[in-house]
Amino acid sequence: MTRGEPLVVVQWPWLRDAGRWAVACAVLCLTFLTLVSPVSPTTTALLNASPVSEFAVTATIAVLSAAGVLLAPRWHWPLFAVAFAAVVVQSTSAALAVASYYAATTIRRPVGLAGYATAAAAAVVVPVAVRSLIAVPGGDGDAVTSALGGVVLVVVLPVVLGLWTNARKQVLAGLEERAEQLEREQAARAEQTRAKERARIAREMHDVVAHRVSLIVLHAGAIEVNTAEEGTAAEAGFIRETGREALSQLRGVLGVLRSPGADAALEPQPSLADLDRLLDKSRAAGIPVVRRDEGDTTALPAMVEHTAYRVVQEALTNVHKHAGEVRTDVVLRHGASTLEVTVHNAGPARRTVSLPSSGLGLVGLRERVGLLGGRFHAGTGLDGGFTVTAVLPLWEEQL
């Protein structure tokens, strides 16, 4: 695993359940195999055993052992009780092997685990030793040795396997926690880098754009005060007011760049009610703009009105930059389910010097209209003019 790469741990609950059922079936089958050997002498004496009683005892222990395995993830004590009973009564240790594994994975204190291992070993060895003493004077050493081998097989090995499983889980948990920590640190570093970049952009915009616009406002104000011609004073006042609005909007953008998480002062978004004011500014700049509304002018969703305003604003901006003082028609067609906005300007009568442009205005409009599920088109007409058309749907969710 490389640094910063998240650790993916795949878990399939159905696979764990299938494994538990497989273990339960295996315990059931192994317990029934004891039918081929007689029941312990103690049990035979107590039950006066017959083939029916032997089968009943074996079936009961087998079913209880399988049930204990299935219940082990929630309750461990039924499995432990049945496992010890199966070893003492039937000398079958399949359930004890599973119980030893669960003991190693669930008992946290070493003293408790050592006590369980001692009790399990005694449950395997003691009944065999007692039976050998009863059957053979002085005991049967081979039987006891075989029982000690069974302790290794059904107690020691499952306990070791359980301890290894616990250790592996702890290692995986540590790796997962470390990967999550590295991911959090990487996200924090990325956010810090973005914040520094936003601050740098804000400083550049303040030093370059805001400074130059401020100079424009100051010079326009000086011309407005000192000139004796009313027309020149009005033009200078218009430039000064437009520059002040641009500075105000730029200040809001810089605030968002510097503190993206802070709550910026929210201003009302422009709508079609502000459209005439926008057109008046273009008329004051020398562009003859004609507005025409068609259809029933009912209330429109706020997002639709704001998008329509931005379409007209960007289209008029392009007229200022590329066409100059040419006739421009703004048409709003109100339909039953759509609002169509069309801005068409005539071709320039003479060659004009285009102002600098980023080329992203129409791209941004296309994206803005697309977010509302509308259609956008912009292109040159046969008369040499330029037409911008946006069809905005009026969804019920927007009303």
Side-chain angles (χ1 to χ4, degrees):
M1 185 183 68
T2 59
R3 180 178 178 85
E5 181 182 352
L7 176 67
V8 180
V9 179
V10 181
Q11 295 182 350
W12 296 307
W14 64 268
L15 187 58
R16 293 197 301 269
D17 294 341
R20 189 162 59 248
W21 276 95
V23 172
C25 293
V27 170
L28 185 69
C29 295
L30 290 174
T31 304
F32 266 112
L33 288 179
T34 58
L35 281 172
V36 300
S37 61
V39 192
S40 64
T42 305
T43 307
T44 303
L46 292 175
L47 300 177
N48 194 17
S50 64
V52 177
S53 62
E54 290 181 14
F55 178 82
V57 172
T58 303
T60 302
I61 293 178
V63 172
L64 291 179
S65 298
V69 171
L70 295 176
L71 295 176
R74 299 187 63 180
W75 300 291
H76 306 308
W77 64 266
L79 176 61
F80 295 161
V82 173
F84 277 84
V87 171
V88 174
V89 175
Q90 194 95 21
S91 297
T92 177
S93 53
L96 185 63
V98 180
S100 299
Y101 174 82
Y102 271 104
T105 58
T106 56
I107 299 177
R108 302 303 179 188
R109 298 179 60 185
V111 176
L113 183 58
Y116 167 85
T118 302
V124 174
V125 175
V126 171
V128 175
V130 171
R131 287 197 296 268
S132 65
L133 289 174
I134 295 175
V136 179
D140 187 357
D142 293 337
V144 175
T145 302
S146 177
L148 292 176
V151 170
V152 175
L153 184 62
V154 301
V155 178
V156 177
L157 289 181
V159 167
V160 171
L161 179 60
L163 292 176
W164 176 83
T165 302
N166 263 352
R168 181 176 178 274
K169 287 182 179 178
Q170 292 175 2
V171 170
L172 289 178
L175 290 175
E176 186 175 2
E177 182 179 359
R178 181 172 176 270
E180 291 176 355
Q181 182 179 0
L182 290 175
E183 188 175 356
R184 290 192 298 268
E185 292 176 357
Q186 184 178 6
R189 286 194 297 269
E191 182 61 30
Q192 186 178 9
T193 303
R194 285 194 293 267
K196 290 181 179 179
E197 184 64 17
R198 285 193 297 264
R200 186 190 67 79
I201 295 173
R203 287 194 302 269
E204 293 292 335
M205 292 182 64
H206 180 271
D207 295 341
V208 178
V209 181
H211 174 69
R212 295 184 182 277
V213 175
S214 298
L215 289 178
I216 294 174
V217 173
L218 290 176
H219 283 284
I223 294 174
E224 182 183 10
V225 172
N226 296 324
T227 185
E229 299 180 4
E230 294 183 359
T232 303
E235 292 291 340
F238 174 74
I239 295 173
R240 179 180 59 82
E241 188 65 26
T242 303
R244 290 183 61 182
E245 290 182 3
L247 281 176
S248 176
Q249 295 178 1
L250 181 61
R251 188 179 299 111
V253 172
L254 294 180
V256 172
L257 283 175
R258 290 194 181 99
S259 304
D263 294 333
L266 299 179
E267 297 181 357
Q269 295 295 322
S271 62
L272 293 181
D274 306 306
L275 189 58
D276 287 333
R277 183 167 175 266
L278 176 66
L279 300 183
D280 289 339
K281 290 183 179 181
S282 295
R283 296 186 184 106
I287 297 178
V289 182
V290 178
R291 173 181 176 178
R292 187 170 73 254
D293 290 84
E294 300 178 359
D296 186 11
T297 57
T298 57
L300 299 175
M303 285 296 297
V304 172
E305 289 201 14
H306 178 61
T307 302
Y309 179 91
R310 293 303 185 191
V311 169
V312 176
Q313 182 183 43
E314 179 62 27
L316 292 178
T317 300
N318 289 334
V319 174
H320 285 282
K321 290 181 178 179
H322 307 296
E325 299 177 357
V326 297
R327 175 184 171 88
T328 302
D329 294 304
V330 178
V331 182
L332 303 179
R333 295 185 178 89
H334 299 263
S337 59
T338 59
L339 171 66
E340 181 178 341
V341 181
T342 302
V343 181
H344 173 76
N345 64 273
R350 61 182 184 278
R351 184 180 180 85
T352 59
V353 179
S354 298
L355 296 176
S357 175
S358 64
L360 299 178
L362 295 180
V363 175
L365 281 185
R366 189 180 304 276
E367 294 176 354
R368 187 188 292 269
V369 173
L371 288 176
L372 295 181
R375 302 189 305 275
F376 179 83
H377 174 75
T380 305
L382 297 177
D383 60 349
F386 196 83
T387 304
V388 175
T389 303
V391 180
L392 307 175
L394 307 180
W395 298 341
E396 294 181 359
E397 295 84 11
Q398 298 173 336
L399 296 174

